[in-house]
Amino acid sequence: MEFSMKKNLFLLAAVCFVSIAGCKKEDFELTSSDRMEVDVSGISYTRYTKAGEDCSSDGELLCTKKFVTQEGDTLYVSAYLSDLDDYLPQQNAEETKGVPIYFNGENNNLGTLYGELNTTVYDTDGTVYQSKDKYKVGTSMENVSISYNEEDKEWKFAEGKTYYWPQDGRSLYFCTMAPVELLPLPPERLPDDAEQLVSDIKWDKDSKNLTFTYTMPDPEEITDANMPRNDAENQKDLLVAVDKNNRSDGSDAKIKLYHALTGVRFVMGETNKSSIKLKSVSLNAFYSSGKATFNPAATYDSPKVTWSDLKDTTTYSQTFSDYELWQLNAELDETGNKTFMVIPQELNDDAKLSIYLANALHPEVLTFDMITAEEPKLKDWSHYAGKMITFRINSYVGLVSVRVEDDCEGNTKSNLKITNDGTTDIYVRAQIVGNWVNEDNEILASWKETQSYGEFTTSKGTGANLETILDDNWSKASDGFYYYKYYIKPGQILKHNMFNSFSVTSKPVDTSGSWAGDVKMKISALEMNILVQAVIADGTSKSAAAAAWGNDNIGFLTTEADN
């Protein structure tokens, strides 16, 4: 019997998965049985709910830089990397790139985002496919419009257009892009005032790659010095797909879209002075034109979209207020952030980030060079298609934040990674909480570590009871938590995991495979959570840990760093 384990990241947050409404398959009679339908998926923005001031969902911490302003205020600018599909703006986030990325429960699918896709269908010989209608009339499937029907919650070909599969069942290649206003389309299909930014679209029948040239919109021209500049609003997300489909696989042509660009956003985090306001930001000397190649055969570890032939550098900026650009005493909106969508690139030597703050007396400009040997992930963004880079500005020195990640494959949880993504040294403790769940993710019973129905592995060996094989760097206290021996510095990943892996080998069921009780309940998986808590280390002091966790539980902690 096979068992599975659900992956859970403990971020002191609930994770909500937003699914995309697919197209239902219809039954057709006679010649209509070969009618072509579409099923669009691939982009589903996940909304994290923040719970707790010491928790961040911004992603993997790349670095934290410290600054002292002219007013004598200390600031920390932290850079994080995450997936665009895991995007968390502030609670009052505005539209991003002219389309919303943050959802309020209503705008939660791809159809709401774009409404229309553009698809060209190619035959195996590289020519545009000629669909035959029931009257045997050929219809070219070039620049075909696929629109989202809000009422039916389905993707459909343009009204009045019917397409059919080839009778011999041969493969077709659907090359799809969005949003439509970026693409080179016939005049009759152009939206009003559209700016076509994608050109030279080509599909290679041998490599099955799709290539195109993309040029970012020019920066907004400011004619009035008092007007805010919001170039971010002009930069749109860019989606692309190449999908091989065959009539024998069903009437629905599967189209899975991927992000071609990198998102860059800015967030005002913890502050201890009301005078520190984020006013505007700019990305200086970024490449604004390049050639994209979409490789449908790319693996999970490599991006589907790669970029080359980069040229033309431009500066893009945005303000965070509806007030006049240099009005110093206006109340600025700290949560109205927008996201730049830029070409993934290795930054050139002139590329810099400028942050403008509005302090009580004058605006502050902080500029730092992102190209340093110490921060290689901030120098090379070429593999960040579909990624989000978040710059979070904090003025609170002791920001406590911890991120937990792991891998879960089949019946095994492994590669636990605990990262200090705050701005201060921290101690951590962890607890394992598990539940047996059914196929509907309903909890049937609590999992108990002492009756694990599986095996832990550590550097000390393998066993069903973790406490008996603990690494020397961990100790289980009377409160049920596992305490890590050393404090962890900002940006550091904990060096010694609580365990290397856990594999579930059986489950508490009777011979019929059901839960043994008054009601028969099918167990589908073990949902295991690693709960991690952090507290400030106060330099080399354990006083904060003692106050939070009790003197009786912290005797194992040392005042040494995790080196």
Side-chain angles (χ1 to χ4, degrees):
M1 185 179 293
E2 296 183 355
F3 303 96
S4 63
M5 183 183 297
K6 296 202 173 192
K7 179 175 179 179
N8 285 271
L9 307 181
F10 177 66
L11 299 171
L12 297 177
V15 181
C16 173
F17 294 93
V18 180
S19 63
I20 296 177
C23 297
K24 65 183 180 182
K25 184 186 285 189
E26 300 181 20
D27 294 323
F28 299 93
E29 297 178 1
L30 301 175
T31 57
S32 294
S33 62
D34 287 328
R35 183 173 175 173
M36 188 183 297
E37 300 292 337
V38 289
D39 184 357
V40 180
S41 65
I43 307 298
S44 57
Y45 294 101
T46 301
R47 179 176 137 190
Y48 292 104
T49 302
K50 188 173 180 181
E53 293 182 356
D54 59 351
C55 173
S56 172
S57 299
D58 288 325
E60 174 192 357
L61 179 67
L62 302 181
C63 74
T64 297
K65 283 184 173 288
K66 177 181 178 181
F67 297 94
V68 178
T69 70
Q70 296 182 34
E71 298 293 326
D73 296 320
T74 300
L75 291 179
Y76 297 86
V77 179
S78 299
Y80 298 84
L81 181 68
S82 62
D83 290 333
L84 266 173
D85 291 349
D86 295 335
Y87 176 54
L88 174 72
Q90 297 294 317
Q91 196 66 28
N92 300 321
E94 300 176 18
E95 288 190 347
T96 301
K97 300 301 164 232
V99 293
I101 278 186
Y102 179 80
F103 301 118
N104 58 11
E106 298 176 0
N107 300 330
N108 58 1
N109 57 53
L110 184 62
T112 305
L113 277 172
Y114 298 100
E116 184 181 357
L117 312 176
N118 186 73
T119 298
T120 297
V121 182
Y122 293 94
D123 220 326
T124 52
D125 60 3
T127 61
V128 174
Y129 175 60
Q130 297 289 323
S131 174
K132 299 286 187 179
D133 64 18
K134 62 182 179 180
Y135 303 107
K136 307 302 182 183
V137 176
T139 304
S140 173
M141 295 193 72
E142 185 172 11
N143 290 331
V144 173
S145 171
I146 300 176
S147 300
Y148 186 74
N149 185 297
E150 287 284 357
E151 182 177 350
D152 297 333
K153 306 299 181 185
E154 293 180 343
W155 289 93
K156 297 182 178 181
F157 290 111
E159 185 176 355
K161 296 288 186 180
T162 301
Y163 301 99
Y164 291 84
W165 292 99
Q167 294 300 316
D168 59 5
R170 63 184 181 271
S171 297
L172 298 176
Y173 294 87
F174 289 70
C175 297
T176 308
M177 299 184 74
V180 169
E181 61 263 30
L182 300 181
L183 310 178
L185 299 175
E188 64 272 12
R189 288 209 51 214
L190 278 177
D192 294 338
D193 301 323
E195 183 179 9
Q196 298 195 18
L197 304 175
V198 175
S199 60
D200 301 325
I201 302 176
K202 297 177 182 178
W203 183 73
D204 189 294
K205 67 181 181 65
D206 297 319
S207 67
K208 307 300 186 292
N209 289 346
L210 180 72
T211 60
F212 58 90
T213 299
Y214 171 72
T215 301
M216 293 170 60
D218 290 333
E220 181 180 335
E221 284 191 26
I222 303 299
T223 57
D224 186 343
N226 292 322
M227 291 297 292
R229 182 172 175 177
N230 292 308
D231 294 327
E233 294 180 345
N234 303 324
Q235 309 298 313
K236 287 183 167 46
D237 197 1
L238 179 59
L239 306 180
V240 62
V242 173
D243 298 278
K244 180 181 178 180
N245 288 282
N246 191 296
R247 174 64 181 91
S248 61
D249 298 331
S251 63
D252 289 354
K254 306 295 184 180
I255 297 176
K256 185 173 183 180
L257 293 155
Y258 294 85
H259 294 283
L261 302 177
T262 302
V264 185
R265 78 197 245 294
F266 300 84
V267 177
M268 200 69 180
E270 299 286 339
T271 62
N272 54 14
K273 285 193 176 183
S274 60
S275 61
I276 299 178
K277 304 283 187 179
L278 179 59
K279 181 158 201 153
S280 64
V281 292
S282 64
L283 304 176
N284 307 293
F286 272 60
Y287 289 117
S288 59
S289 181
K291 179 181 178 180
T293 300
F294 181 89
N295 177 12
T299 63
Y300 175 81
D301 295 328
S302 60
K304 290 279 189 180
V305 185
T306 56
W307 291 80
S308 60
D309 301 338
L310 301 181
K311 61 182 181 180
D312 303 331
T313 59
T314 311
T315 294
Y316 296 89
S317 64
Q318 63 171 294
T319 60
F320 292 82
S321 171
D322 292 330
Y323 293 90
E324 294 179 351
L325 184 59
W326 297 115
Q327 183 178 343
L328 301 183
N329 295 321
E331 260 194 53
L332 303 180
D333 180 10
E334 297 172 3
T335 62
N337 57 79
K338 298 180 179 67
T339 302
F340 294 100
M341 302 300 292
V342 302
I343 294 175
Q345 57 191 272
E346 184 172 358
L347 304 185
N348 65 83
D349 292 339
D350 296 324
K352 288 179 171 57
L353 165 69
S354 296
I355 299 172
Y356 296 80
L357 300 173
N359 287 350
L361 299 180
H362 56 78
E364 186 90 34
V365 180
L366 303 177
T367 303
F368 67 89
D369 191 342
M370 295 186 291
I371 308 172
T372 65
E374 298 175 357
E375 296 150 8
K377 290 185 177 181
L378 274 183
K379 172 182 172 60
D380 188 1
W381 299 11
S382 59
H383 297 289
Y384 289 168
K387 297 292 185 180
M388 175 75 80
I389 298 177
T390 298
F391 292 96
R392 180 175 287 274
I393 304 168
N394 300 295
S395 66
Y396 176 51
V397 178
L399 177 62
V400 176
S401 181
V402 63
R403 181 170 178 83
V404 185
E405 301 166 276
D406 61 49
D407 292 333
C408 191
E409 184 174 354
N411 67 336
T412 300
K413 181 186 285 286
S414 61
N415 297 327
L416 181 65
K417 185 168 74 171
I418 300 173
T419 304
N420 178 359
D421 60 357
T423 61
T424 187
D425 300 335
I426 59 171
Y427 289 112
V428 298
R429 68 176 184 177
Q431 191 175 44
I432 306 175
V433 176
N435 293 295
W436 300 104
V437 298
N438 61 18
E439 291 183 352
D440 296 325
N441 207 35
E442 297 170 335
I443 296 176
L444 304 180
S446 297
W447 170 89
K448 296 181 180 179
E449 185 185 329
T450 54
Q451 299 174 334
S452 64
Y453 295 91
E455 288 186 338
F456 291 95
T457 62
T458 70
S459 59
K460 289 292 188 70
T462 302
N465 190 334
L466 177 59
E467 185 177 2
T468 62
I469 56 170
L470 272 182
D471 187 285
D472 294 338
N473 299 288
W474 288 88
S475 177
K476 189 174 184 179
S478 58
D479 60 0
F481 281 89
Y482 291 93
Y483 287 79
Y484 191 59
K485 188 174 185 178
Y486 307 106
Y487 69 82
I488 311 171
K489 297 178 180 179
Q492 190 175 32
I493 299 172
L494 183 142
K495 297 185 181 298
H496 307 279
N497 282 333
M498 184 169 54
F499 60 86
N500 296 333
S501 67
F502 173 76
S503 299
V504 61
T505 55
S506 61
K507 56 185 177 180
V509 296
D510 60 20
T511 56
S512 67
S514 299
W515 182 262
D518 295 335
V519 181
K520 299 295 186 180
M521 295 182 291
K522 293 285 187 178
I523 292 177
S524 173
L526 171 63
E527 181 183 84
M528 178 184 282
N529 298 284
I530 311 300
L531 279 65
V532 177
Q533 296 178 351
V535 67
I536 192 168
D538 292 339
T540 57
S541 169
K542 296 191 290 183
S543 59
W549 297 336
N551 279 311
D552 294 340
N553 297 314
I554 66 163
F556 181 72
L557 303 185
T558 72
T559 55
E560 300 176 20
D562 188 25
N563 294 319

